[in-house]
Structure formats: structure tokens, C-alpha cells
Amino acid sequence: MALLDQWKDIAYNENESREKLEKLWNVYFLKEKGVYEKLLKNPDEVVNGTVKELAEKYELSLMEMTGFLDGINDSLVTPNPIEEMEEDTEVRIEIDKPLLYKNMVAAGADWLYNLPEWDAIFDEETRKELYKEQKRSTTIVKETKVYPNDPCPCGSGKKYKKCCGKKA
């Protein structure tokens, strides 16, 4: 069984008590934060190694490293083959910094996108803009409905029903 499937069986186990899963995630999020702190200190460094080597490097279990790689995969310049990853699979962590920041915002992970390490990467204005850009990308904007007696949106000055809304 691929590592990702094993990780999902543990982390999303519906047969496990809520308390045990909550504890697992709390421990994981704390460790995840530590890895991001290390990675963001030198954000242009490309980290290479097997899943097992990176787990040892960042002091994570194999499953925690799998969860981390799954979480960061969409924020990498080149995604890793996480679906079929095994412990000896070579992986590469090359961060797309703006994308990572926006993905942290999208995940609601304020403990990650508010890390002080971001201060050396983006100024406050850039972080605010990335934050707003991410929030706008998920906001659904409803078009205003044009009623028959409204002025036509084409700017002709006619009522919509006598202009663009006219049935052919």
C-alpha cells in the first residue's frame, strides 16, 4: 500500500475516536509548523531526498512526512508523485513562495501564513495583496439581474426589453 493511502487511513479514520484524531492532528500541526519554519528560513533552497531521508532530516515519522508532502505538493514548482510514493521514493521540495502563501491562506492555516519567517520573504504589503488575491479567488460574485424595464446594460439608453432583451 502506498504511503499516502496509509497516511489517509490513519489521519482520516472514521472508526477512531474524535479525541484521538484531534490529538493526532494537534501533534501533526505543531510538527508541520516546525518544518515550515526551517524551510522558510532559506526559501530558495531546493530540498532533495527520499521520503525516509526527509522524515529523518525534519524529525518526523514516515507517516507525518507523507502528510507534510501531501499538504505542500500543490505549492511546489514541480509536484511530487505522492499517489504512489514509498519510503525510498526520491522527492523534491522547491517552493513556489506566492503559491504556498496563498494555499496556506486558503487552508485557513493562520499559524502558518503568520509565521515570522514570511517577513524576510515578502513585505507586509505583498502579504496583504496575496491574502486578498486568495480570498477574492474563492468569492462568488453574482451578476446583477437585468429586468425588462431597466436601462439596457449596453449603454444605448433604451429599456432592456426594447434593446438587447428583445426577442428575435
Side-chain angles (χ1 to χ4, degrees):
M1 181 187 300
L3 289 176
L4 186 62
D5 293 331
Q6 292 175 45
W7 165 250
K8 287 179 178 179
D9 285 349
I10 294 167
Y12 303 103
N13 186 344
E14 293 179 6
N15 298 322
E16 199 58 71
S17 72
R18 183 173 180 218
E19 293 79 25
K20 190 168 181 181
L21 284 175
E22 200 170 287
K23 184 179 178 188
L24 175 132
W25 281 105
N26 287 337
V27 169
Y28 171 78
F29 289 145
L30 191 61
K31 290 182 178 185
E32 175 190 46
K33 180 180 176 185
V35 176
Y36 277 117
E37 288 169 338
K38 291 174 186 173
L39 287 172
L40 293 174
K41 281 186 178 144
N42 192 0
D44 295 320
E45 177 186 7
V46 178
V47 179
N48 292 297
T50 65
V51 177
K52 185 177 182 176
E53 290 168 347
L54 294 183
E56 291 168 1
K57 177 178 181 171
Y58 293 108
E59 300 173 3
L60 300 174
S61 71
L62 202 53
M63 288 298 103
E64 291 165 338
M65 189 70 221
T66 302
F68 180 82
L69 290 168
D70 181 32
I72 198 172
N73 209 43
D74 291 338
S75 304
L76 300 177
V77 173
T78 306
N80 288 304
I82 59 168
E83 295 293 332
E84 58 269 352
M85 232 172 23
E86 296 297 339
E87 67 180 58
D88 58 346
T89 303
E90 285 285 331
V91 292
R92 174 183 174 98
I93 300 175
E94 183 180 2
I95 300 170
D96 179 329
K97 295 178 290 289
L99 184 57
L100 176 61
Y101 189 84
K102 290 193 285 188
N103 285 342
M104 287 175 170
V105 169
D110 59 337
W111 67 93
L112 296 177
Y113 67 78
N114 285 325
L115 285 170
E117 285 77 9
W118 283 110
D119 296 343
I121 300 168
F122 299 124
D123 60 29
E124 187 176 346
E125 189 61 36
T126 304
R127 287 194 312 274
K128 282 182 180 177
E129 189 51 43
L130 289 169
Y131 183 92
K132 287 178 187 175
E133 193 178 308
Q134 174 55 42
K135 291 298 185 181
R136 277 193 304 266
S137 74
T138 59
T139 303
I140 298 171
V141 180
K142 269 179 114 173
E143 287 188 36
T144 56
K145 182 163 174 54
V146 181
Y147 293 94
N149 288 322
D150 289 345
C152 191
C154 76
S156 68
K158 297 179 181 178
K159 289 184 178 185
Y160 179 68
K161 68 182 178 186
K162 298 281 186 182
C163 189
C164 294
K166 191 184 260 186
K167 293 188 176 160

